[in-house]
Amino acid sequence: MSQDLFEAARAAMQHSHSPYSKFKVGAALRDENGRIHAGCNIENVAFPEGICAEATAIAHLIMAGRRHITEAAVIAERLPLVAPCGGCRQKLSEFASPQTRVWLCDDAGPQKAFTLAELLPAAFGTDSLA
Ligand code: THU
């Protein structure tokens, strides 16, 4: 994974609004043109209304007119490595392929990669609606 994706996730994490969990998360997604879209978690006093870093990054990707995630990176401040939650795995799968790599990062850089198929086996995909 190239350093720029990791650095974008780490920089996004600094924007985290997480006064309730105090758990800052950053995510970065590379699109089919190589551009990076990043996001942080944004919590709300009405707890279920918060959104994850991956969802913020996806919103940026979509608003930039892109539709395909070719690579992803996730980082959290308080855990050595954080894996995307179940809901985010499903959200990522909407715009990524089963082979898309999701990098789990710590402050030193990317440490471990999973494919989306490893994170979300037997996914509910668009073919399920056919
Ligand atoms: N969080 C994310 O942003 N992404 C994940 O994949 C895991 C959880 C956030 C949600 C909440 O703001 C905080 O981490 C604690 O759960």
Side-chain angles (χ1 to χ4, degrees):
M1 186 195 94
S2 38
Q3 187 75 2
D4 56 350
L5 196 67
F6 158 66
E7 285 175 2
R10 189 172 57 176
M13 179 174 70
Q14 297 311 324
H15 294 283
S16 169
H17 174 72
S18 45
Y20 310 106
S21 70
K22 307 204 183 327
F23 191 80
K24 293 184 178 187
V25 186
L29 310 172
R30 193 183 303 282
D31 70 25
E32 65 271 33
N33 291 343
R35 279 195 51 199
I36 292 175
H37 311 272
C40 63
N41 56 330
I42 307 170
E43 297 183 350
N44 190 280
V45 63
F47 297 157
E49 302 302 331
I51 61 172
C52 287
E54 295 89 330
T56 306
I58 288 170
H60 282 139
L61 175 117
I62 295 301
M63 287 307 295
R66 310 293 2 139
R67 282 288 184 280
H68 299 291
I69 299 168
T70 59
E71 197 177 21
V74 186
I75 183 169
E77 192 176 63
R78 278 174 43 193
L79 268 189
L81 293 179
V82 67
C85 75
C88 285
R89 295 175 194 206
Q90 181 67 31
K91 288 186 178 86
L92 289 168
S93 80
E94 183 76 16
F95 303 107
S97 74
Q99 294 75 37
T100 300
R101 279 204 163 67
V102 179
W103 285 93
L104 313 189
C105 306
D106 64 18
D107 207 49
Q111 301 299 339
K112 192 174 167 81
F114 291 95
T115 65
L116 194 58
E118 289 172 321
L119 293 176
L120 190 67
F124 180 78
T126 45
D127 50 339
S128 309
L129 290 182

